Structures are given as structure tokens and as C-alpha cells.
Amino acid sequence: MSLQVLVNGLLLGGVLGLVALGFSLVWGILNIVNLAHSALIMLGAYLTYYLFDKFNIDPFLTLPLSMIILFAVGFGIQYVLLNRVIKAPLLVTFLLTFGLEIFLTSLGRVIFSGTPVRVQPSYGAKGFEVGDATINYMKLGGLALALLLTLGLYLFMSKTKTGNAIRAVSMDLNAARLMGIDIPYIYCLTYAISAAMAAAAGTLLSIWLGSFTPDEFGIYNIRAFAVVVLGGLGSVPGALIGGLVFGLIDQIASGVNLGSVSLSPWKEGIVFVVMIIVLIVRPTGLLGKEGYR
């Protein structure tokens, strides 16, 4: 494995960890497999594109604004829609978020059109060399932001009263209610945080991808699912570790040939084979804990 493959895997893995972070939060706390997650990522990417294209705002500077906007959108989605069916069987919320994903993606096609767009700041192609590897400044900045956001969420969940309330709801809903925790509000807040993380992931993906359309983000639901299972459901550090593992496997498979056969078209399948092996050896994932619903 070359140093360049290792570097590319780590850079990609950091972004994928951020993609999975919000997905893991909603699944672990609300017991909802949130298929609308990829559509929220898409909205984050297009917010970044329009702020960059119309107002020439650097994509890294748009990240806080896109997170705030999607935080409000996520809070509204949970308050208006999901809280009404939160006690329904898993299939109901599964289908509702699937329908929401279709609606938002279709709305994206209408508003943004299907023409590929790109976010290319002036420093986009610049980097530096370490040995035989070239490290892109922009992608390195994306990895740093992903690490900072993961650390920030981990500290929020473990060190603050609100974060502990969210964790309490995930562990024992009835006990949390008896302690006076406002369960519907915690659900709304959790989904809003997840949407904000999706916005951040969309911002980073907008500068990672060469170009994108509203239809190109659906794959990130599948990737988020794989990352969460690899890292462990309900674990903030686990989402990052799972993302790094996914990124490394993706980049290794992209550069490996078995004789005359390239493994690149099979890289998604290879990740899921690894995921199955991890589940057999450690059913809770690499850093997951028993007790999540």
C-alpha cells in the first residue's frame, strides 16, 4: 500500500465519518433509520455552492451558516412530522423518511436542476508533498474540520447536561421521563443536531466531489449505514473510526488489481464483506456498546 493510498483513505474517511455521525445519532437515540439523511447532505452541499457562486464566500466559511439553517430544518422535520409517529413500528418511520428523501431530492431537481455544479476555490488544487504522496490543502482542511466536529459532538454528549439528557433518553426512555426530561424536545434537538452534521458533511463533500447534482447523494445513505455498523451504533468516536476504515478500504480497492481484473468496481461490495466479518466477530461494531435499541 502506497503512502498516497493511505493519505487518500484517511482524507476520505474523515468526511465519511462526518456523513455517518448524524445518521448514527438519529438511529441510536430515536431508533429511526433516517433515509432522509442523504437529502439533508444534498441541501448542505447546495447551500455551500450558492453562497460560493453568488456571494463568493469561501466554502469553509459557509459551514457554520449551513449548519444553522439545517439545524432549524431538522428541528422542524422532527417537530412537525416524526414526533407524530415516533412510537409507531420501525417500518412506519422508515417509509416516512424514505418518502421525505424522495420529496427533498425531487424538490432539489426542480430548484437546482440536474446540471452538474462544482465548488472550486482558488486554492482547490494546491497542496504539499510528503514523501511520494501529495496532500491537498482543501481536503486536509476538510479532515481537520471533521475531526473538530466529531470531538465537539463527543464533548457535548458527554460533558453537558443536555448531552447527558440525550444519552439518558437512548438508554431508558421511561426513566428519563420520570426524571423530568422533555422527551419530544430531546427528539427534536437530536434530529436537529443530526441535520446540522449532515449540512457540514454536505459542505465538505461539495469541495471533495469534482461536480455534483441532486441525485448523486443517495449513495451516502448506504455508506453511512456501513460506517455506523463498522464503528458501532450510538458511538460518536465509532462513526469516525468506521469512516476511516471505510475510506481506507475504498482507496485500497480502487488501486488494487487481481491479475487483469480491477477491484475498483467492487469496492462497495468489499466494504460490506468487511462489515459482515466485523459483525460476526464483534456484533456491536468496533466501538459500539450493548444496550442501544
Side-chain angles (χ1 to χ4, degrees):
M1 181 171 62
S2 70
L3 181 59
Q4 187 67 62
V5 170
L6 177 62
V7 167
N8 290 343
L10 291 175
L11 294 176
L12 176 61
V15 177
L16 291 177
L18 192 57
V19 166
L21 197 53
F23 190 87
S24 176
L25 196 63
V26 169
W27 190 1
I29 307 300
L30 276 64
N31 197 31
I32 292 176
V33 180
N34 182 27
L35 296 184
H37 191 66
S38 62
L40 296 174
I41 293 173
M42 179 267 294
L43 292 177
Y46 271 95
L47 274 171
T48 301
Y49 164 71
Y50 273 101
L51 289 170
F52 175 76
D53 184 62
K54 304 299 183 184
F55 303 103
N56 200 31
I57 301 176
D58 186 275
F60 288 105
L61 297 179
T62 67
L63 189 141
L65 181 58
S66 63
M67 290 183 70
I68 291 170
I69 293 173
L70 265 294
F71 180 93
V73 170
F75 196 98
I77 289 173
Q78 182 66 36
Y79 182 81
V80 174
L81 294 176
L82 296 178
N83 267 357
R84 300 179 184 276
V85 296
I86 196 70
K87 295 181 180 180
L90 181 63
L91 181 61
V92 174
T93 55
F94 187 88
L95 291 175
L96 180 57
T97 58
F98 178 61
L100 187 59
E101 192 271 341
I102 293 176
F103 170 76
L104 290 175
T105 302
S106 300
L107 188 64
R109 292 192 204 105
V110 173
I111 297 174
F112 309 128
S113 80
T115 304
V117 298
R118 62 182 63 210
V119 178
Q120 287 186 316
S122 58
Y123 54 85
K126 296 180 180 179
F128 62 96
E129 295 185 358
V130 176
D132 60 350
T134 300
I135 301 176
N136 181 273
Y137 286 124
M138 188 171 62
K139 292 180 179 179
L140 182 61
L143 174 61
L145 273 175
L147 293 175
L148 285 173
L149 288 170
T150 302
L151 176 61
L153 183 59
Y154 174 78
L155 293 175
F156 170 77
M157 294 290 289
S158 60
K159 302 296 183 182
T160 67
K161 184 177 179 179
T162 303
N164 285 327
I166 294 174
R167 294 171 62 204
V169 169
S170 73
M171 293 175 184
D172 193 322
L173 183 62
N174 291 326
R177 184 178 289 110
L178 290 172
M179 294 302 295
I181 295 174
D182 186 343
I183 305 299
Y185 171 76
I186 290 297
Y187 283 160
C188 290
L189 182 62
T190 301
Y191 198 94
I193 294 171
S194 169
M197 292 298 158
T203 295
L204 298 186
L205 283 172
S206 73
I207 60 178
W208 178 278
L209 299 172
S211 62
F212 56 91
T213 67
D215 294 303
E216 293 189 20
F217 293 88
I219 188 66
Y220 289 100
N221 275 338
I222 300 173
R223 291 176 177 173
F225 179 86
V227 169
V228 168
V229 172
L230 282 171
L233 178 61
S235 171
V236 173
L240 179 61
I241 298 300
L244 294 174
V245 171
F246 190 114
L248 285 171
I249 294 173
D250 180 280
Q251 291 301 302
I252 291 170
S254 296
V256 171
N257 296 325
L258 293 179
S260 60
V261 179
S262 172
L263 292 182
S264 184
W266 303 93
K267 59 185 179 182
E268 303 284 348
I270 294 171
V271 171
F272 276 89
V273 169
V274 173
M275 183 187 76
I276 292 170
I277 294 172
V278 169
L279 285 176
I280 292 172
V281 176
R282 185 173 171 80
T284 58
L286 297 175
L287 297 182
K289 297 179 181 179
E290 297 286 353
Y292 283 95
R293 294 172 293 168

